């Protein structure tokens, strides 16, 4: 522990010395620019030490635009690590380590950067995608918005710790999206499948199945209504037979009996028509529910229309549909 603290202390001194030394660059720098860059570096370093890593990163990057030294690149890598951007941090540390030190003061920085890059390499998690069967010719797999080459076998994908989105799509398939959370130093296996639109309709209760269930319900309601109408008609006919033997009705109940007669005349054909419509609707519903999967585009065109209205001396029932 003591040696680690000592090493870190010496590294801090090396970084300070490196920042105070003006190193040659490929473009001219005025004394004022260099002074402002050194002051901004110190400000960014304070932000880093106090946990304001996003602000520190922006300031260090601005310093690098004026004077990009090993110390500046090292601090950028350290802040990236603190922000959880482990892959960028590792690559930045490697750049510091692999760049030939410009001065003896940069050598401890390069050595420490190499060690930190190796340590980060072990902390970076991977996504291992596995394909379910042979993918379609135009299959497309995307991780966090970036396409993944569909080689065989699929190469593990380096990711930062946290949540990631994996989506797969192809012509004739629905886009499948999966969220996965990965932890430091752990690899996660993510299955990738391409599910056709027809499979979605048959297994997931597509539009045809929904319409079929609605048609079954409508058919059942129409059949029940038909039974009620016919029962009322039979009751009225029975009443007329009882009250009017031989067709002779008492004049005192003329209005009541006339209403019963009219109701029986209306409810007879109406009940039959509604019952027929209910039977057809139930048959269509059963067909849509039980038949094999149907193309979703055609399913969206399916419509069912049932209507009835009374007419003088009877009733009209209409049933229409497109499939």
């Amino acid at each position: 522990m003591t040696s680690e603290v000592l090493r870190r202390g010496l590294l801090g001194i090396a970084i300070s010395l490196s920042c105070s030394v003006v190193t040659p660059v490929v473009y001219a720098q005025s004394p004022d620019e260099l002074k402002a860059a050194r002051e901004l570096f110190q400000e960014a370093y304070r932000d880093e030490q106090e946990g304001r890593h996003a602000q520190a990163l922006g300031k260090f990057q601005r310093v690098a635009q004026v004077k990009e030294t090993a110390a500046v690149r090292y601090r950028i890598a350290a802040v990236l690590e603190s922000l959880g951007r482990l892959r960028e941090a590792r690559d930045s540390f490697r750049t510091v380590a692999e760049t030939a030190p410009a001065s003896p003061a940069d050598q401890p920085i390069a050595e420490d950067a190499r060690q930190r890059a190796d340590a980060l390499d072990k902390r970076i998690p991977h996504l291992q995608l596995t394909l379910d069967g042979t993918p379609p010719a135009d299959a497309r797999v995307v991780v966090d918005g970036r396409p993944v080459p569909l080689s065989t076998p699929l190469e593990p994908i380096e990711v930062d710790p946290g949540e990631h989105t994996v989506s797969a799509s192809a012509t004739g398939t629905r886009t499948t999206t999966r969220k996965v959370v990965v932890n430091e130093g752990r690899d996660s296996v993510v299955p990738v499948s391409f599910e056709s639109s027809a499979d979605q309709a048959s297994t997931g209760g597509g539009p045809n199945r929904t319409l079929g269930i609605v048609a079954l319900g409508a058919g059942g309601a129409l059949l029940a209504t038909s039974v009620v109408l016919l029962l009322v008609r039979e009751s009225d006919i029975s009443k007329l037979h009882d009250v009017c033997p031989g067709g002779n009705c008492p004049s005192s109940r003329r209005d009541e009996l006339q209403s019963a007669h009219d109701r029986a005349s209306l409810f007879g054909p109406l009940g039959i028509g509604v019952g027929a419509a209910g039977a057809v609707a139930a048959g269509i519903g059963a067909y849509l529910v039980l038949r094999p999967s149907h193309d979703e585009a055609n399913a969206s065109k399916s419509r069912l229309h049932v209507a009835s209205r009374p007419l003088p001396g009877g009733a009209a029932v209409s049933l229409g549909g497109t499939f």
Side-chain angles (χ1 to χ4, degrees):
M1 182 66 179
T2 303
S3 59
E4 177 65 19
V5 172
L6 179 59
R7 188 178 69 85
R8 290 291 179 182
L10 292 174
L11 179 63
I13 295 173
I15 291 176
S16 299
L17 290 174
S18 178
C19 292
S20 62
V21 175
V22 178
T23 57
V25 291
V26 296
Y27 50 90
Q29 301 164 327
S30 69
D32 289 341
E33 287 178 326
L34 292 175
K35 179 181 178 182
R38 284 193 290 268
E39 292 175 351
L40 185 60
F41 181 94
Q42 296 302 327
E43 184 180 333
Y45 187 75
R46 286 193 298 272
D47 285 337
E48 179 187 0
Q49 298 305 305
E50 295 173 7
R52 296 185 295 272
H53 299 112
Q55 294 92 320
L57 177 61
K59 293 174 182 178
F60 281 131
Q61 289 173 336
R62 286 161 53 193
V63 172
Q65 293 174 359
V66 177
K67 177 184 174 184
E68 187 175 12
T69 65
V72 175
R73 292 194 299 269
Y74 182 96
R75 294 263 55 92
I76 289 175
V79 173
L80 287 171
E81 179 181 356
S82 298
L83 289 171
R85 295 160 62 174
L86 304 188
R87 292 172 299 160
E88 294 177 77
R90 177 203 56 194
D91 294 343
S92 296
F93 278 127
R94 282 180 177 171
T95 299
V96 175
E98 294 169 0
T99 301
S103 68
D106 288 340
Q107 294 178 1
I109 300 175
E111 179 58 31
D112 190 80
R114 182 177 295 105
Q115 295 180 19
R116 294 187 69 166
D118 293 342
L120 279 172
D121 205 35
K122 299 175 183 177
R123 293 171 54 193
I124 295 174
H126 297 78
L127 287 181
Q128 178 62 66
L129 306 182
T130 60
L131 295 177
D132 184 8
T134 302
D138 62 344
R140 174 181 169 86
V141 177
V142 177
V143 176
D144 297 333
R146 296 183 177 181
V148 175
L150 296 182
S151 58
T152 304
L154 292 176
E155 296 293 331
I157 303 171
E158 286 188 340
V159 293
D160 289 324
E163 183 178 87
H164 299 274
T165 302
V166 179
S167 62
S169 62
T171 302
T173 70
R174 69 184 184 95
T175 299
T176 58
T177 302
R178 183 189 299 268
K179 300 283 188 180
V180 59
V181 177
V182 295
N183 299 318
E184 283 191 13
R186 301 291 297 273
D187 294 347
S188 297
V189 178
V190 182
V192 177
S193 61
F194 298 89
E195 185 175 333
S196 69
S197 300
D199 291 339
Q200 180 188 14
S202 62
T203 60
N208 269 353
R209 182 175 177 83
T210 301
L211 181 61
I213 294 172
V214 172
L216 280 173
L222 290 172
L223 288 172
T225 301
S226 172
V227 171
V228 172
L229 292 173
L230 293 176
L231 287 176
V232 172
R233 175 181 181 276
E234 290 302 317
S235 175
D236 286 336
I237 293 175
S238 178
K239 180 179 181 179
L240 290 172
H241 286 168
D242 293 341
V243 177
C244 304
N248 297 317
C249 301
S251 58
S252 60
R253 303 179 62 182
R254 179 178 179 179
D255 293 342
E256 175 189 351
L257 297 175
Q258 184 62 46
S259 296
H261 177 272
D262 294 342
R263 192 164 51 244
S265 299
L266 173 63
F267 283 8
L270 182 59
I272 293 173
V274 171
V280 174
I284 292 174
Y287 169 73
L288 293 177
V289 170
L290 299 177
R291 73 171 178 167
S293 60
H294 188 270
D295 183 78
E296 193 168 328
N298 292 332
S300 64
K301 301 177 183 177
S302 300
R303 298 289 187 272
L304 179 66
H305 312 282
V306 180
S308 64
R309 66 180 188 276
L311 295 174
V317 177
S318 64
L319 176 69
T322 59
F323 305 95

